[in-house]
Amino acid sequence: MHIKNFKKIFSRTPKSSIGLQSKRGFTIVELIISLTILGAITYVISTFQTDVFSLNTNLQNNLNAQLDARHLIKQMVAELRKTTQSSIGSYAIESASSTAIVFYSDVNNNGSVDRVRYFTSGSTVKKGVVTPSGNPLSYNLNSEVVTTLVSDLVSSSTLPVFQYYPSTYEGTSSPMTYPLSIQSVRLVKITLIIDRDPNRSPVPIVVTSQVSLRNLKDNL
């Protein structure tokens, strides 16, 4: 009888009570912990995506800046290489400094020798062109057409935009000192330091080149 009674009692026990712990849901604490972990993962992923996007934008901006600087230097080199006497007989170079140079060159390849001025203004590089006009010909400075070529220029005392060398330059000597003897200038070195965002990586871009003034007498 004892065994039978025990079986009856056991058979009356609700099946739902057996294995109750395995079927119960999340507790409030477990839910809060899960949500916290999910939020942390979402934040990390979002931050990573933002950083990647920002870095990609900075790299693209600096690549564009490098291309702009190289294009400008290529243009300057081509025009300086053709430096020649002006249409009214003025010397090929009018003035030269570390931040500006004024010279004469047929920049439009139309047979007319223009007065060309490359100069810096704050963080920009600009170009001014005066085409001779009138009879007799003259260079009216009020007619100068000025355009902005490159922005985000970084000034440097050790790497100025323009440096000048005489005919004795062999690749390692120091540039000419000021005041310059303009008639002695036979080579111009151009350096542009560009930084689209000084507060972020990568480091500033440095683009440089040099050009011989082939039309000057002792450079033939």
Side-chain angles (χ1 to χ4, degrees), residues 157-175:
S157 58
T158 57
L159 288 175
V161 177
F162 299 106
Q163 292 176 296
Y164 307 94
Y165 299 84
S167 58
T168 56
Y169 177 66
E170 296 181 350
T172 57
S173 56
S174 300

Side-chain angles (χ1 to χ4, degrees), residues 9-10 34 38 58 110 121 139 142 158 183 193 199 207 216:
I9 294 172
F10 183 80
S34 298
L38 179 62
N58 291 335
N110 59 4
S121 177
Y139 292 89
N142 293 325
T158 57
Q183 287 75 16
I193 305 174
N199 298 318
V207 181
L216 297 187

